[in-house]
Amino acid sequence: MTDTTIAALRTTLLRVPWGGEPPANGIMPPSAREFLILEIETKGGLVGMGYLQPLSGGLETLDTCLNEMIAPQVLGRDATDVEAIWQALWKSTYWLGRGGIATWCLSAVDIALWDIVGKRAGLPLHRLWGSCRTEVEAYGSGVWRGLDREQMIARAKAYTDRGLKAIKMQAAYIRPWREDVANVAAMRDALGDETEIMIDINMGWTADTAIQAGRHMDEYDLYWMEEPVVCEDFDGYQRVAAQLKTRVVGGESHFTRYDLRPFFKTPSSPILQPDPQRGGLTELRKIATVADTWGMRIAPHLFHELVVHVLASIPNASYIEYMDWNDDIYVDARLPVDGKVRAPEDPGHGVTFKPELLADCRVGGREVVG
């Protein structure tokens, strides 16, 4: 039997230039992409990889937290004790955690551990967990609010020309809401009735504005309105949902199932969008189970190359978010085919960063051994 005792944790910090223009979304700094890559190695030689993409700084802070608070709780443990390690990290960081940096670091560990478990079993994660399907319907994301109207339509059509049957456009921040309504109207006219259109507010409106703008947008048969208000405003979510025909969805800015409890207690949002960086794959699957109990579906935030395993293994999968901004950094970018992302058959999660990227874009990292 392979010894799965955890012997070392290694981090690599990357700053990667954008492949093209930075996202014109009004909420992210127009700097390079940042990644923290965590490798966990066992005494038997198995290596699992987890990774994080902080979208607004904090790379070195994450690395420090992993070194100071996480590594001492992980070294020497059995890598297959995924749930036990999750609980140990959650409880040991509770005073400074329950979200934020500590939970992000917990998530990187959790992703790496599942990678080890899958590799040891010789199975992709979706089969390890009990596969429901082999492919998931995708929507094209990143029709940025900072583009002008014709550029937004052109970006959306670039997705539909590739076979995607749904796109997500953004609103708020850069433009006043009446212009956002005009953009939605133009997008519906350009794409016709056969393409689903989502709209993402990124917490940029108050509930009153979301209701006012949303009543106009209701006319254009949107598939959902995402994060209309700040994530703490659960009452605002319910107010907006009660006033609109369009689905109101969210969850990407919430940490773990505990943070999502109000969505379950008053299930006015039929689709939740948990982020794998805010609890890891273990937590994503628990959220999916609770959501299924209440007839809710799951459409995770970003990282289609990773979360496809979760969506392929649960009964209540919704769309997978395909963002093309990182297609250039992976050995296998998991591009949609005929509008769907196929679950890979490689053992573990199967995600691999290009080796030349790790060498050329490295800006830091460390190794901690037991």
Side-chain angles (χ1 to χ4, degrees):
M1 296 288 288
T2 302
D3 188 345
T4 51
T5 303
I6 296 171
L9 277 71
R10 290 189 295 272
T11 58
T12 302
L13 310 184
L14 301 179
R15 286 197 176 91
V16 185
W18 290 100
E21 291 296 318
N25 57 23
I27 56 175
M28 284 173 55
S31 56
R33 291 168 286 178
E34 294 187 331
F35 300 91
L36 183 148
I37 299 170
L38 171 67
E39 292 179 302
I40 296 179
E41 185 170 359
T42 68
K43 287 184 177 179
L46 287 173
V47 178
M49 187 271 286
Y51 56 104
L52 303 170
Q53 185 180 7
L55 299 178
S56 189
L59 197 61
E60 287 80 7
T61 303
L62 288 164
D63 193 36
T64 299
C65 181
L66 274 163
N67 178 61
E68 180 182 357
M69 300 184 70
I70 303 298
Q73 301 293 327
V74 174
L75 288 168
R77 302 197 64 149
D78 192 314
T80 64
D81 292 344
V82 182
E83 179 66 30
I85 292 173
W86 196 101
Q87 294 294 333
L89 294 178
W90 178 257
K91 292 173 182 176
S92 67
T93 62
Y94 199 77
W95 293 112
L96 296 178
R98 294 189 297 124
I101 296 297
T103 303
W104 278 58
C105 292
L106 178 160
S107 303
V109 170
D110 188 74
I111 294 165
L113 292 180
W114 277 118
D115 195 29
I116 288 172
V117 172
K119 288 174 178 176
R120 185 172 186 263
L123 291 171
L125 294 183
H126 69 96
R127 297 204 181 277
L128 185 74
W129 295 330
S131 190
C132 267
R133 60 188 63 82
T134 57
E135 55 188 14
V136 184
E137 195 79 31
Y139 69 87
S141 189
V143 180
W144 307 119
R145 58 175 67 80
L147 303 173
D148 65 36
R149 190 169 300 155
E150 293 307 312
Q151 289 175 317
M152 292 178 79
I153 291 171
R155 180 154 169 76
K157 285 187 172 181
Y159 280 130
T160 59
D161 288 347
R162 295 173 60 180
L164 279 78
K165 299 176 178 62
I167 65 96
K168 186 168 77 179
M169 59 188 295
Q170 296 184 302
Y173 292 98
I174 291 174
R175 294 191 168 96
W177 70 262
R178 286 183 174 83
E179 188 172 346
D180 291 322
V181 172
N183 289 343
V184 168
M187 187 68 72
R188 174 56 73 199
D189 184 62
L191 299 185
D193 296 331
E194 300 304 312
T195 301
E196 299 289 4
I197 299 174
M198 296 89 160
I199 188 163
D200 192 352
I201 313 305
N202 285 123
M203 304 186 288
W205 286 339
T206 63
D208 287 345
T209 300
I211 291 167
Q212 187 176 18
R215 285 174 173 166
H216 292 277
M217 293 178 177
D218 271 345
E219 299 177 22
Y220 302 104
D221 190 27
L222 295 179
Y223 191 81
W224 71 43
M225 176 186 284
E226 179 175 334
E227 282 200 310
V229 296
V230 292
C231 64
E232 299 88 355
D233 188 7
F234 291 104
D235 290 340
Y237 264 98
Q238 293 170 27
R239 285 175 56 202
V240 177
Q243 294 293 323
L244 301 184
K245 294 185 293 183
T246 300
R247 295 176 187 87
V248 174
V249 305
E252 73 179 61
S253 300
H254 297 81
F255 287 87
T256 76
R257 64 195 184 280
Y258 302 118
D259 217 5
L260 291 168
R261 283 180 68 183
F263 285 114
F264 298 127
K265 292 178 70 174
T266 308
S268 56
S269 294
I271 301 172
L272 293 181
Q273 303 168 299
D275 187 319
Q277 300 183 127
R278 292 174 166 88
L281 299 177
T282 294
E283 190 66 12
L284 210 59
R285 296 178 67 232
K286 290 180 180 179
I287 291 168
T289 299
V290 179
D292 192 40
T293 307
W294 295 100
M296 303 163 76
R297 290 178 292 156
I298 298 296
H301 178 233
L302 295 177
F303 307 105
H304 69 279
E305 71 285 348
L306 181 65
V307 301
V308 65
H309 288 283
V310 175
L311 292 177
S313 64
I314 61 174
N316 53 331
S318 178
Y319 280 95
I320 193 167
E321 181 173 17
Y322 170 58
M323 183 78 79
D324 60 0
W325 60 7
N326 289 333
D327 285 351
D328 60 324
I329 69 172
Y330 303 118
V331 173
D332 179 1
R334 311 255 196 273
L335 303 180
V337 177
D338 296 327
K340 297 180 180 180
V341 175
R342 190 168 187 83
E345 297 298 337
D346 313 273
H349 56 55
V351 180
T352 306
F353 284 78
K354 291 180 177 177
E356 61 270 25
L357 199 78
L358 303 179
D360 297 343
C361 299
R362 180 186 173 103
V363 293
R366 70 181 86 205
E367 180 177 48
V368 185
V369 297

